[in-house]
């Protein structure tokens, strides 16, 4: 490659064409101070602090925006440079309030540091007061624009990184400031309170509201966000064993300097007063605080009794998408070795389990970063900006780079505003649409003729299976007009590397597996997965759903997805665990709860899950759990589920323990202990070890790291992973980038090998049009509450923004029923009825309602037909009940 030679402070150096002086200086270890520059933002040369002198011409140049040119003679610390830097900083200080002693930014203020570095002891300029006062009512971010130095980082972060557009410059010259539209408060703007602007701000102009400690931080611990499966890297900032704030840890390629509102401001649940501090056991029907020994003895006795009286099939285990890999590994090991049962599952199966049967390991085929370089992105059944916001930023950034976005969703989600095509399909008909697109693609002229011939010759059954998915049928069932379908087919067929993103809108459907197979077929037809961009991106998981599955917290698979009917795998684990293990597949979470209700499952051990909030049919879960002889729950809070337990163990949060999470990409990352356990709580793995020892099984791990060593030894997927290696950063498991073809792991380019015939089960009840008066109820995550909200509803700040789960309704539907925004209505289906408040939303088409998943009331309106994975669409009817009373608890019809 060509290089460009220049002189830097008298030393000859060379750089690559296109490099700026600042980049080259950094590369060779020369420090140039900056204020407006950031590695994640495009340089703009706004602050001029980085100026350097070109000695031949005597010109002063902003080094962040000036490319190197052959023969340049650059001096980064000449007299002229230093004097001009001082003048610039003094001008900034002249309009800056002298409130450093009280400023929240404290010692981290870059302006103050720069003034100190330059030796500006006295300000000999006339001060220009610029008092604006602090603003905002929102619970997260405060603005004191009198401290703003107009570096524009907040605006650029908003435009370039999170692509929201809430901020821009207002006015010109001295009156210029970053502001929202019409200078309104942040809370009435498009702002999503991700806090990226706060992380970027070099002064105290933007700062976090409501921190329990305003002074210097005691320690920063690098760990992983505990909410969604993106697995963002964060620092937990602590003082005296208290979590004070969270900031992005930019040394990663998942989130860089961005986070979302949950990750940035929603971890205050760690110190919620409701945290369990001591173990509880039920005495005379009441849960009473006891010591650890008494609780552990009681739990071990109760579990042993159920096992010895009713056998291994009568005990069931529910692991957790929120607990670490080490904890899930240990949990399934206890179930299989001590209780001889494969009755082990997580609730992740109910929300994402349909894809377990499709993409191997259900991880993404590519890294999150690759979405950004895809040229066409189909987003179906997913609303990434609210469910997995950091993935949403990537999709929007791809749009900025010219990618065409196709959004398939009954709701006009925020992402639809960025789309080239929005397909508002009828709920539950995604599979038909996807197969229609597949057929369109196979029929299209722009698809590679060689690929078509290959499929026609090798896989005629695929062609046959798609024969029925003609545009007329697709339109009839899905509501996607033929021109719209043609537009989607055209975009995908012309794409170089299309990305396919799906989420709970697909994975929670009863026919989710078929829809995902159609997505795989589409991706394989375009040969995208595994390449440097494009691919398949399931956005359907919590912080460690992927890891819990990898660890074998599944009723039919051992750690590393080894099947129970593989005698070699069984022998291998039996040798390692020194005991026999059952080979008969166990009960899924849904089946276990159903069997509990039927009196067949007598005891259950639930670690870190709350089925009474997160189960697809919580009333069914309540009936099941209330009939158990014995229920053990370990959790952070006395959850709705824990209230039914006979023993409740107080467990540590992610901030109080070591371990690993595996994110949606399949990247294994360290979580680290930042504070001591709250009360007498213990890490889940420690509780499990104590229980196992009471059951006579040696579980003498001295640390979570020792459990990982065992995992790494026994699980091919995690081979060679150790805490030592993870210190250097997250590790991708090698298999997450390929698609399996049964026996062999195939290079993904062998496309025809995996394309499977479409299933013809599209004429299902779920695809019926709603009858008059019927509504279809959609449920999903919101920006402030992820899934059931067990933790986010204990974040005071998140709750302040979204306290109540409001039922969204199309204004025309509301008008037809004589309803107004905020009215209470009675909603019922064949199972339950609830009274709830409505919010009018133009984003919904007529006949469709939307309720947040964290709303405990509407979760009681489960559809009929909850299966091991997924449900049918939920049909409800509305009874007008205009009143202003509080929410009423659900009642059976
Ligand atoms: Fe946490 Fe997910 Fe938000 Fe990242 S995108 S900060 S992982 S909730």
């Amino acid at each position: 490659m060509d290089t460009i030679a220049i002189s830097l402070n008298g030393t000859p150096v060379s750089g690559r064409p296109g490099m700026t002086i600042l980049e080259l200086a950094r590369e060779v270890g020369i420090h140039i101070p900056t204020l407006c520059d950031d590695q994640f933002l495009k340089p703009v040369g706004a602050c001029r602090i980085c100026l350097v002198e070109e000695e031949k011409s005597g010109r002063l140049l902003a080094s962040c925006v000036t490319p190197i040119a052959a023969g340049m003679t650059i001096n980064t610390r000449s007299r002229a440079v230093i004097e001009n830097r001082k003048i610039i900083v003094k001008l900034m200080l002249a309009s800056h309030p002298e409130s450093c002693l009280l400023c929240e930014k404290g010692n981290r203020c870059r302006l103050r540091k720069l003034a100190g570095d330059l030796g500006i002891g006295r300000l000999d300029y006339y001060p220009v007061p610029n008092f604006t006062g602090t603003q905002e009512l929102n619970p997260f971010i405060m603005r004191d624009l009198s401290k703003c130095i107009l570096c524009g980082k907040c605006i650029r972060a908003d435009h370039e990184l999170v692509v929201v557009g809430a901020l821009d410059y207002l006015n010109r010259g001295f009156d210029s400031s970053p502001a929202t539209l019409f200078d309104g408060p942040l809370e009435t703007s498009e702002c999503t309170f991700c806090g990226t602007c706060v992380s970027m701000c070099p002064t105290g102009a933007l700062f976090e509201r409501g921190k329990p400690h305003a002074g210097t931080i005691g320690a920063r611990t690098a760990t992983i966000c505990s909410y969604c499966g993106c697995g963002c890297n964060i620092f937990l900032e602590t003082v005296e064993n208290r979590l004070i704030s969270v900031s992005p840890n930019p040394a990663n390629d998942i989130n860089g300097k961005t986070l979302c509102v949950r990750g940035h401001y929603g971890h205050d649940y760690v110190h919620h007063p409701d945290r369990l501090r001591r173990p509880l056991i039920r005495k005379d029907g009441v849960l009473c605080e006891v010591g650890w020994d008494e609780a552990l003895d009681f739990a071990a006795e109760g579990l042993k009794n159920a096992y010895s009286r009713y056998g291994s099939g009568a005990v069931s285990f529910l692991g957790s998408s929120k607990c670490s890999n080490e904890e899930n590994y240990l949990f399934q090991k206890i179930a299989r070795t001590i209780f001889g049962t494969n009755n082990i599952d997580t609730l992740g199966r109910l929300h994402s389990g349909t894809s377990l049967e499709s993409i191997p390991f259900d991880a993404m085929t590519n890294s999150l970063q690759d979405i950004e370089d895809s040229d066409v992105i189909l987003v179906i059944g997913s609303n990434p900006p609210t469910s997995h916001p950091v993935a949403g930023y990537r999709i929007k950034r791809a749009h900025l780079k010219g990618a065409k976005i196709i959004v398939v969703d009954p709701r006009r989600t925020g992402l639809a505003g960025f789309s080239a095509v929005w397909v508002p399909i009828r709920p539950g008909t995604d599979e038909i649409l996807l197969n229609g697109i597949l057929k369109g693609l196979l029929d299209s002229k722009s698809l590679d003729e060689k690929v078509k011939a290959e499929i026609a010759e090798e896989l005629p059954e695929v062609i046959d299976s798609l024969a029925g998915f003609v545009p007329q049928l697709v339109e009839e069932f899905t509501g996607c007009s033929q021109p719209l379908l043609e537009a989607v087919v055209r975009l995908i067929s012309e794409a170089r590397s299309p990305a396919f993103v799906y989420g709970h809108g697909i994975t929670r459907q009863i026919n989710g597996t078929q829809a995902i197979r159609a997505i795989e077929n589409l991706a394989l037809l375009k040969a995208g997965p595994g390449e440097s961009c494009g691919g398949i991106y399931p956005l359907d998981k919590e912080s460690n759903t992927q890891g819990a599955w990898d660890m074998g917290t599944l009723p039919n698979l051992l750690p590393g997805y080894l099947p129970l009917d593989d005698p070699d795998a069984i022998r291998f684990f039996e040798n390692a665990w020194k005991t026999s293990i059952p080979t008969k597949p166990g009960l899924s979470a849904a089946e276990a709860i159903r069997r509990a209700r039927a009196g067949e499952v007598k005891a259950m051990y639930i670690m870190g899950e709350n089925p009474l909030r997160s189960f697809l049919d919580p009333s069914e879960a309540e009936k099941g759990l209330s009939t158990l002889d014995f229920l053990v729950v370990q959790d952070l809070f006395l959850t709705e589920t824990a209230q039914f337990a006979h023993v409740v163990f107080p467990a540590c949060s992610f901030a109080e323990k070591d371990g690993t999470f595996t994110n949606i990409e399949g990247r294994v990352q360290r979580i680290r202990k930042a504070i001591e356990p709250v009360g007498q709580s213990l890490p889940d793995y420690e509780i499990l070890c104590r229980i196992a020892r009471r059951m006579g099984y040696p579980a003498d791990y001295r640390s979570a790291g020792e459990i990982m060593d065992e995992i790494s030894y026994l699980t091919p997927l995690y081979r060679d992973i150790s805490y030592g290696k993870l210190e250097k950063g997250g590790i991708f498991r090698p298999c997450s980038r390929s698609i399996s073809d049964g026996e062999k792991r195939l290079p993904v380019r062998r496309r025809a090998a995996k394309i499977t015939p479409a299933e013809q089960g599209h004429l299902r009840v779920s695809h019926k049009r709603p009858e008059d008066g019927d509504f279809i109820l959609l449920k999903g995550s919101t920006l402030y509450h992820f899934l059931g909200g067990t933790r986010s509803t204990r974040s005071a700040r998140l709750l302040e923004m979204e306290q109540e789960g409001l039922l969204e309704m199309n204004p025309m539907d509301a008008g037809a029923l004589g309803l107004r925004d905020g009215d209470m209505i009675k909603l019922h289906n064949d199972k339950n009825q609830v009274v709830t408040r409505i919010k009018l939303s133009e984003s919904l088409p007529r006949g469709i309602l939307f309720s947040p998943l964290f709303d405990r009331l509407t979760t009681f309106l489960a559809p009929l037909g909850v299966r091991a994975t997924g449900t049918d669409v939920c049909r409800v009817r509305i009874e007008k009940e205009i009143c202003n009373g509080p929410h009423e608890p659900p009642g059976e019809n």
Side-chain angles (χ1 to χ4, degrees):
M1 187 201 285
D2 291 345
T3 56
I4 297 176
I6 68 166
S7 161
L8 204 51
N9 293 347
T11 308
V13 293
S14 50
R16 296 172 294 282
M19 265 183 130
T20 63
I21 299 168
L22 180 65
E23 284 168 335
L24 180 56
R26 280 183 179 149
E27 202 167 278
V28 299
I30 290 176
H31 173 67
I32 298 176
T34 60
L35 278 175
C36 71
D37 178 71
D38 190 280
Q39 67 175 112
F40 295 98
L41 299 174
K42 288 186 204 133
V44 289
C47 74
R48 319 307 277 188
I49 294 294
C50 69
L51 51 83
V52 293
E53 185 176 355
E54 209 290 317
E55 289 182 319
K56 283 186 201 158
S57 63
R59 281 192 308 152
L60 292 174
L61 307 167
S63 62
C64 68
V65 286
T66 310
I68 52 171
M72 269 181 165
T73 307
I74 300 295
N75 191 330
T76 67
R77 48 186 181 229
S78 69
R79 191 188 164 95
V81 165
I82 301 299
E83 284 312 312
N84 277 283
R85 268 190 205 144
K86 278 188 183 173
I87 291 169
I88 294 165
V89 172
K90 281 182 184 178
L91 284 168
M92 286 177 183
L93 289 172
S95 60
H96 204 83
E98 292 176 348
S99 55
C100 290
L101 280 179
L102 302 172
C103 180
E104 201 272 351
K105 202 74 177 186
N107 296 335
R108 289 165 298 139
C109 175
R110 300 255 314 265
L111 180 62
R112 202 172 96 182
K113 180 172 185 311
L114 196 53
D117 290 349
L118 288 167
I120 303 174
R122 206 165 55 87
L123 191 64
D124 41 11
Y125 288 5
Y126 194 74
V128 188
N130 180 25
F131 179 76
T132 56
T134 54
Q135 302 168 11
E136 310 313 338
L137 296 171
N138 75 77
F140 313 110
I141 299 172
M142 296 283 281
R143 287 187 293 175
D144 178 356
L145 295 182
S146 61
K147 295 174 184 163
C148 176
I149 57 167
L150 291 178
C151 66
K153 278 182 165 179
C154 53
I155 295 171
R156 288 183 287 146
D158 174 48
H159 293 193
E160 294 171 24
L161 299 182
V162 298
V163 201
V164 167
L167 297 175
D168 215 325
Y169 288 106
L170 180 74
N171 299 325
R172 288 275 182 268
F174 191 73
D175 291 334
S176 180
S177 66
T180 57
L181 187 64
F182 305 126
D183 206 15
L186 282 176
E187 45 275 18
T188 56
S189 74
E190 298 289 303
C191 179
T192 59
F193 301 103
C194 66
T196 309
C197 56
V198 179
S199 305
M200 291 271 178
C201 180
T203 69
L206 294 172
F207 56 100
E208 181 174 344
R209 183 178 192 166
K211 280 193 345 189
H213 173 86
T216 308
I217 296 304
R220 286 202 323 173
T221 307
T223 191
I224 304 302
C225 174
S226 69
Y227 281 105
C228 86
C230 286
C232 290
N233 286 231
I234 55 172
F235 285 122
L236 296 183
E237 303 183 340
T238 53
V239 173
E240 292 175 359
N241 205 37
R242 192 167 179 89
L243 175 57
I244 300 301
S245 84
V246 172
S247 58
N249 171 1
N252 72 85
D253 50 15
I254 296 173
N255 55 297
K257 265 200 183 158
T258 62
L259 290 175
C260 76
V261 65
R262 296 188 299 255
H264 214 145
Y265 301 116
H267 282 111
D268 48 342
Y269 74 82
V270 164
H271 293 296
H272 193 279
D274 286 356
R275 277 290 300 273
L276 288 168
R277 283 171 160 71
R278 298 194 64 198
L280 305 169
I281 65 172
R282 193 169 293 280
K283 292 180 182 174
D284 298 326
V286 180
L287 284 170
C288 310
E289 285 192 351
V290 293
W292 269 105
D293 282 338
E294 187 178 348
L296 288 161
D297 288 342
F298 189 71
E301 198 56 34
L303 292 169
K304 253 188 240 169
N305 281 344
Y307 172 61
S308 49
R309 282 184 68 185
Y310 304 106
S312 57
V315 187
S316 196
F317 292 75
L318 200 52
S320 176
S321 303
K322 301 170 187 71
C323 290
S324 68
N325 288 323
E326 294 74 1
E327 290 159 347
N328 279 292
Y329 170 80
L330 212 50
F331 198 55
Q332 61 81 37
K333 183 177 171 184
I334 288 173
R336 291 184 161 121
T337 56
I338 301 179
F339 293 90
T341 182
N342 286 312
N343 292 348
I344 172 133
D345 204 359
T346 64
L347 289 187
R349 167 180 288 269
L350 291 166
H351 300 288
S352 321
T354 44
S355 36
L356 256 179
E357 290 150 38
S358 42
I359 299 172
F361 324 132
D362 185 39
M364 292 176 169
T365 58
N366 294 58
S367 72
L368 273 168
Q369 217 175 7
D370 285 350
I371 297 184
E372 215 171 313
D373 296 317
S374 306
D375 58 345
V376 168
I377 305 176
L378 173 74
V379 182
I380 182 163
S382 176
N383 189 10
T386 58
S387 70
H388 296 73
V390 161
Y393 305 157
R394 296 250 181 222
I395 295 170
K396 290 191 279 180
R397 293 202 305 247
H399 167 75
L400 291 184
K401 291 179 182 175
K404 298 275 187 299
I405 317 285
I406 304 164
V407 172
V408 180
D409 201 305
R411 289 194 301 156
R412 189 175 173 82
T413 59
L415 203 56
F418 291 79
S419 65
V421 181
W422 168 48
V423 184
I425 60 165
R426 293 195 189 103
T429 61
D430 307 69
E431 172 204 354
I432 299 174
L433 179 76
L434 288 160
N435 282 322
I437 299 171
L438 253 179
K439 177 166 171 54
L441 212 54
L442 281 167
D443 293 346
S444 87
K445 289 195 177 67
S446 47
L447 187 70
D448 189 339
E449 284 302 324
K450 226 173 103 207
V451 175
K452 276 194 211 172
E454 217 174 80
I455 293 171
E457 193 185 319
E458 292 177 25
L459 294 161
E461 68 276 17
V462 170
I463 312 270
D464 290 349
S465 72
L466 292 169
F469 293 94
V470 292
Q472 295 83 340
L473 177 135
V474 172
E475 179 169 0
E476 186 190 332
F477 279 92
T478 69
C480 172
S481 68
Q482 294 179 45
L484 216 48
L485 180 64
E486 274 168 32
V488 173
V489 169
R490 192 167 51 247
L491 281 173
I492 296 177
S493 65
E494 288 169 1
R496 175 183 40 82
S497 49
F500 299 89
V501 177
Y502 66 88
H504 285 137
I506 296 284
T507 57
R508 284 163 61 99
Q509 276 181 31
I510 216 150
N511 53 343
T513 306
Q514 292 91 311
I516 294 163
R517 292 220 172 99
I519 291 171
E520 282 180 7
N521 284 350
L522 275 171
L524 287 159
L525 209 54
K526 290 297 294 181
E531 295 191 344
S532 58
C533 47
I536 304 171
Y537 301 83
L539 291 183
D540 54 346
K541 299 191 188 71
E542 289 191 71
S543 51
N544 200 35
T545 308
Q546 187 67 52
W549 288 351
D550 291 352
M551 293 301 107
T553 316
L554 293 165
N556 56 340
L557 295 165
L558 291 163
Y561 305 93
L562 295 175
L564 291 168
D565 58 6
D566 177 348
D568 291 341
I570 293 287
R571 210 172 309 117
F572 179 67
F573 276 96
E574 286 185 337
N575 285 338
W577 290 343
K578 298 186 174 46
T579 186
S580 60
I581 53 174
T583 53
K584 187 175 154 224
L587 303 173
S588 68
E591 285 162 348
I593 282 172
R594 203 170 301 130
R595 297 277 183 96
R597 199 179 166 193
E600 292 167 34
V601 166
K602 298 290 188 184
M604 213 178 259
Y605 194 158
I606 301 178
M607 174 177 78
E609 285 287 8
N610 184 7
L612 293 199
R613 245 184 202 273
S614 304
F615 201 64
L616 297 177
D617 184 350
S619 59
E620 192 66 22
E622 190 172 310
K623 286 170 199 152
L625 297 185
S626 60
T627 53
L628 288 169
D629 283 2
F630 199 67
L631 174 62
V632 181
V633 172
Q634 58 193 53
D635 212 314
L636 308 188
F637 304 105
L638 191 62
T639 61
E640 292 84 350
T641 303
Q643 288 169 31
F644 280 88
H646 300 85
V647 187
V648 183
F649 294 132
C652 286
S653 74
F654 82 113
E656 297 145 56
K657 63 187 178 188
D658 286 314
T660 53
F661 284 164
T662 304
N663 80 343
I664 36 178
E665 302 168 298
R667 192 191 309 233
V668 185
Q669 305 189 97
R670 272 297 311 277
I671 56 165
R672 293 180 180 86
K673 180 177 172 177
I675 53 171
E676 291 302 319
V678 168
Q680 292 182 10
S681 65
L682 289 173
D684 290 276
Y685 68 82
E686 177 61 35
I687 302 171
L688 296 175
C689 286
R690 292 186 186 195
I691 276 283
R693 288 199 288 268
R694 272 175 171 71
M695 308 287 294
Y697 190 84
D700 298 320
Y701 307 97
R702 284 165 302 174
S703 65
E706 283 194 1
I707 305 173
M708 178 48 79
D709 291 343
E710 183 172 317
I711 294 167
S712 156
Y713 174 67
L714 294 178
T715 312
L717 269 180
Y718 281 63
R719 186 127 307 149
D720 293 332
I721 289 183
S722 68
Y723 280 17
K725 288 187 180 155
L726 288 170
E727 282 309 311
K728 295 188 198 113
I731 295 179
F732 270 116
R733 298 159 313 146
C735 54
S736 66
R737 284 174 168 267
S738 59
I739 286 193
S740 156
D741 181 34
E743 296 292 280
K744 294 165 290 184
R745 197 151 299 289
L746 287 174
V748 287
R749 268 224 165 259
R750 286 187 52 187
R751 51 191 124 195
K754 186 71 170 36
I755 293 179
T756 50
E759 293 188 21
Q760 299 286 342
H762 50 267
L763 295 170
R764 264 188 283 274
V765 177
S766 58
H767 302 145
K768 263 192 345 188
R769 283 167 174 281
E771 284 158 20
D772 259 2
D774 262 4
F775 284 83
I776 289 181
L777 176 62
L778 302 178
K779 296 175 197 167
S781 294
T782 67
L783 184 60
Y784 300 102
H785 298 287
F786 188 56
L787 292 177
T790 296
R791 291 163 300 168
S792 59
T793 54
R794 267 131 178 148
S795 160
R797 289 189 286 190
L798 293 180
L799 261 191
E800 224 179 294
M801 284 307 278
E802 191 176 15
Q803 180 107 35
E804 183 185 10
L806 300 172
L807 182 81
E808 292 179 30
M809 180 187 250
N810 178 287
M812 287 172 75
D813 280 337
L817 290 165
L819 294 168
R820 286 169 311 172
D821 201 40
D823 281 345
M824 303 295 284
I825 56 161
K826 191 181 279 179
L827 202 61
H828 66 93
N829 66 357
D830 297 335
K831 288 183 150 187
N832 277 316
Q833 61 179 27
V834 298
V835 174
T836 190
R837 195 182 299 281
I838 63 163
K839 173 183 161 191
L840 303 188
S841 168
E842 301 276 359
S843 71
L844 284 165
R846 295 199 66 173
I848 293 181
L849 306 170
F850 178 81
S851 165
L853 273 168
F854 84 96
D855 181 8
R856 189 153 146 63
L857 288 176
T858 48
T859 57
F860 277 84
L861 293 173
L864 296 171
V866 174
R867 306 265 171 89
T869 52
T871 68
D872 224 330
V873 293
C874 180
R875 292 171 194 283
V876 292
R877 293 182 80 84
I878 288 178
E879 273 177 40
K880 212 168 82 172
E881 182 167 294
I882 301 180
C883 63
N884 291 314
H887 272 38
E888 284 176 14
E892 294 235 352
N893 275 342

